[in-house]
Amino acid sequence: MKIKMFIDFDNTLFDTRKLKKDLFAVFSRYGFKEEEISSTYKKACEDYIYSPSEHADELYKIKPFDKKNAESELDELYKNIPEYLFNDSIDFLKNLDKDKFEINLLTLGDLDFQKKKVDFSNISKYFENIYYCKDQKWIFLKTLVEPNEKFYIIDDRGDALFEISKDFKLSSTIEINRASKPLDNMEQPAPYEGIKVKNFAEAMPYLK
């Protein structure tokens, strides 16, 4: 039987910080200050389910703007979504042992936004299953794996991996921290002491 592997999307396979910068640039063209965009972004992330549409709604509360046109500009970004994949993502997915692992994508967030990013990135073909969740991953995983089941998960959020390692004793957790990133608005500090890597090349030896 194959061992389940769950791979995160945002900031693991996909440079979400780069997309976030470009999203912010769209809103700035409508006269919003960086502080306004950042504070409303933080508010839109409070439930861990960010969507650009809700972000636009929060900005509209500050001052009216052509939200429909702004959202059209945001939609244009999706055409270039493959460019936001990290350089090592595709090769990593291609080189995983398909006989050993059941390879699954597990992504937390707004269903519409996450699905657009995944679909436009053209990576669905590398996964046996794609799971979109709104619950925290350590909760959602209880519907996918048994308490004493061995599985792997690669994610950029140390707080999520800390909880997963507590709830699933046989899990192998790998935190990928590209460019020593600061904590995102959706991530809470946690004493995660498991495997930490900076890229997929460093992760590969732990997947043998």
Side-chain angles (χ1 to χ4, degrees):
M1 181 179 293
K2 292 183 180 181
I3 301 171
K4 292 173 183 171
M5 178 187 294
F6 299 95
I7 303 173
D8 173 49
F9 185 75
D10 289 301
N11 294 316
T12 297
L13 294 165
F14 184 85
D15 193 345
T16 308
R17 289 173 187 79
K18 181 180 176 182
L19 178 61
K20 175 183 171 183
K21 181 179 178 181
D22 291 343
L23 288 170
F24 278 29
V26 170
F27 291 131
S28 70
R29 289 197 287 272
Y30 288 84
F32 291 101
K33 299 175 183 177
E34 183 177 349
E35 181 181 339
E36 293 171 328
I37 299 170
S38 296
S39 63
T40 50
Y41 171 79
K42 185 175 182 180
K43 185 171 180 60
C45 292
E46 283 180 349
D47 60 356
Y48 297 92
I49 312 296
Y50 173 82
S51 83
S53 179
E54 288 186 12
H55 193 176
D57 289 342
E58 291 297 328
L59 286 167
Y60 196 85
K61 294 175 184 177
I62 296 175
K63 69 176 180 181
F65 69 105
D66 191 342
K67 191 167 62 172
K68 184 176 181 180
N69 193 63
E71 289 181 348
S72 294
E73 286 191 49
L74 294 173
D75 285 341
E76 284 294 309
L77 294 177
Y78 296 128
K79 296 179 180 179
N80 299 317
I81 281 293
E83 298 178 8
Y84 293 92
L85 291 170
F86 288 112
N87 292 335
D88 59 351
S89 293
I90 296 299
D91 284 343
F92 173 71
L93 293 172
K94 285 181 177 178
N95 292 325
L96 285 172
D97 189 339
K98 310 301 191 297
D99 294 323
K100 179 178 180 180
F101 297 112
E102 174 194 295
I103 303 166
N104 306 290
L105 183 68
L106 177 58
T107 179
L108 169 69
D110 175 78
L111 176 60
D112 181 64
F113 186 42
Q114 296 305 104
K115 195 171 189 309
K116 281 182 178 178
K117 288 186 291 183
V118 171
D119 288 349
F120 278 94
S121 67
N122 298 316
I123 61 170
S124 300
K125 60 188 174 184
Y126 298 109
F127 298 96
E128 292 191 35
N129 301 289
I130 297 177
Y131 298 108
Y132 300 96
C133 63
K134 288 191 173 183
D135 292 325
Q136 292 288 358
K137 290 178 183 176
W138 59 90
I139 298 172
F140 188 80
L141 279 168
K142 292 176 181 178
T143 68
L144 302 177
V145 294
E146 298 297 325
N148 294 316
E149 182 176 349
K150 177 178 174 62
F151 67 90
Y152 288 79
I153 181 164
I154 304 174
D155 203 295
D156 72 302
R157 283 184 54 185
D159 59 338
L161 295 176
F162 175 73
E163 295 295 335
I164 290 168
S165 63
K166 284 199 308 182
D167 290 350
F168 301 92
K169 301 302 183 185
L170 297 183
S171 63
S172 293
T173 57
I174 301 174
E175 179 184 2
I176 186 164
N177 190 336
R178 297 179 183 272
S180 300
K181 64 173 181 63
L183 290 178
D184 189 79
N185 291 95
M186 298 188 192
E187 185 176 356
Q188 301 299 318
Y192 175 72
E193 297 181 351
I195 298 167
K196 297 183 181 184
V197 300
K198 294 184 179 66
N199 52 54
F200 285 129
E202 292 184 6
M204 267 301 195
Y206 298 102
L207 305 175
K208 302 298 185 183

